[in-house]
């Protein structure tokens, strides 16, 4: 909304109406893809949450998404996400003030030394893959009186550079999360490895999730699927798809 001229307040930094229209179009297209994939898989639309990945896009895009009914946004770096969230919620970070109605997800690699900051803004962390970060994030969340939804990131090709724990290591990490105050174990996340058929990779993740639920029946989330492969992920049982460029367009060059 434009400010009334002379009202004496700084204009709120909003996306242009052209940009809002562009984002609306991307969002409509992705929602249609999710709907079609759910129908094809015989699943209910409300089983799948769209997390719009806003990394590299400006805070004005996040606000535009919120006005278009998006409830979940994902970021991959603390350095970018923390200031962006502060802008989106109006720069107010004191507890109880300026609480964002959005749920903020960290989908990218997490280092232990970022846990303190991440625990201030993230509602969901998808990328827990080592004991050290689980312990550090749990401590930070507990100190701040928060409980963060937590997923174990699984490596589906065993390549440690891409992040994620080996499938064999998942039960131990899940047990640790379940025993850590400040964290709530929700399920598993993966990125389909290059060179593997996505549907095969997502089936491996789904099977790991089934095994996990034998001990942790509430760990029902499966975070899988991006712009390129969300249909395959939904067919395999994804509950959370993480979609960036298909909603927001070609990603601005990383700074
Ligand atoms: C960037 C990113 C996404 C979204 O990727 P798009 O191809 O833009 O949809 C999803 N998950 C993770 C972990 C990411 O880093």
């Amino acid at each position: 909304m434009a400010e009334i001229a002379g009202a004496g307040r700084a204009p709120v930094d909003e996306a242009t109406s052209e940009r809002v229209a562009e984002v609306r179009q991307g969002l409509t297209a992705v929602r249609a893809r999710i709907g079609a994939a759910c129908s094809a898989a015989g699943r209910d639309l409300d089983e799948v949450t769209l997390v719009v990945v806003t990394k590299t896009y400006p805070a004005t895009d996040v606000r535009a998404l919120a006005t278009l009914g998006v409830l979940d946004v994902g970021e991959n770096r603390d350095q970018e996400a923390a200031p962006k969230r502060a802008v989106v919620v109006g720069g107010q970070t004191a507890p109880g003030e300026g609480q964002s109605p959005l749920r903020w997800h960290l989908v990218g690699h997490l280092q232990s030394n970022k846990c303190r900051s991440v625990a201030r803004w993230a509602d969901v962390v998808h990328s827990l893959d080592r004991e050290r970060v689980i312990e550090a994030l749990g401590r930070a969340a507990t100190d701040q009186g928060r409980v963060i939804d937590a997923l174990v990131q699984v490596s589906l090709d065993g390549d440690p550079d891409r992040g994620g724990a080996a499938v064999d290591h998942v039960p131990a990490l899940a047990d640790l999360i379940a025993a850590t105050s400040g964290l709530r174990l929700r399920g598993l996340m993966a990125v389909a490895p290059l060179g593997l058929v996505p549907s095969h990779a997502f089936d491996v993740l789904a099977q790991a999730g089934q095994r996990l639920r034998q001990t942790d029946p509430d760990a029902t989330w499966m975070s899988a699927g991006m712009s390129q492969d969300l249909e395959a992920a939904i067919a395999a049982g994804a509950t959370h798809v993480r979609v960036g460029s298909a909603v927001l367009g070609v990603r601005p060059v990383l700074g």
Side-chain angles (χ1 to χ4, degrees):
M1 302 302 110
E3 292 288 333
I4 297 161
R9 285 197 286 146
V12 176
D13 193 11
E14 300 290 356
T16 62
S17 56
E18 290 81 4
R19 180 59 179 154
V20 174
E22 210 169 77
V23 172
R24 178 186 287 117
Q25 204 170 40
L27 198 56
T28 302
V30 167
R31 284 175 172 155
R33 284 176 62 190
I34 293 171
C38 284
S39 305
R43 301 184 58 199
D44 281 342
L45 192 55
D46 64 10
E47 290 175 35
V48 178
T49 299
L50 169 61
V51 180
V52 179
V53 178
T54 51
K55 67 183 184 207
T56 75
Y57 299 97
T60 49
D61 278 3
V62 180
R63 285 203 173 144
L65 289 165
T67 66
L68 295 169
V70 168
L71 300 174
D72 293 86
V73 293
E75 287 283 333
N76 73 333
R77 292 165 67 233
D78 173 65
Q79 303 91 298
E80 178 182 347
K84 195 185 292 184
R85 182 182 178 281
V87 170
V88 171
V89 303
Q92 299 170 302
T93 51
E97 281 183 353
Q99 290 293 328
S100 170
L102 291 165
R103 260 191 304 189
W104 289 76
H105 298 242
L106 177 68
V107 302
H109 181 72
L110 175 58
Q111 293 163 288
S112 323
N113 64 355
K114 300 291 182 202
C115 286
R116 255 183 203 270
S117 174
V118 165
R120 278 186 217 111
W121 62 264
D123 302 297
V124 186
V125 173
H126 291 234
S127 48
L128 296 173
D129 61 359
R130 312 185 301 294
E131 278 83 356
R132 225 165 100 85
V133 280
I134 291 169
E135 286 160 357
L137 188 65
R139 260 196 311 274
T142 303
D143 287 351
Q144 292 168 40
R146 301 194 63 216
V147 177
I148 296 175
D149 287 324
L151 294 98
V152 178
Q153 182 176 350
V154 184
S155 165
L156 298 176
D157 61 358
D159 179 353
D161 288 348
R162 294 170 57 81
V167 173
D168 290 350
H169 195 40
V170 168
L173 294 177
D175 284 351
L176 179 59
I177 292 173
T180 299
S181 64
L183 302 180
R184 181 190 297 126
L185 177 66
R186 288 297 201 173
L188 305 181
M189 174 273 211
V191 178
L194 299 169
L196 256 192
V197 180
S199 59
H200 173 72
F202 295 143
D203 284 344
V204 172
L205 182 65
Q207 285 158 19
Q210 274 163 20
R211 281 194 300 278
L212 175 60
R213 282 188 292 281
Q214 290 168 7
T215 48
D216 297 275
D218 295 336
T220 54
W221 294 13
M222 171 172 161
S223 166
M226 315 189 347
S227 292
Q228 299 291 334
D229 54 18
L230 69 88
E231 285 85 0
I234 289 172
T239 62
H240 292 69
V241 293
R242 310 177 308 268
V243 182
S245 50
V247 173
L248 294 167
V250 175
R251 187 166 286 122
V253 175
L254 279 165

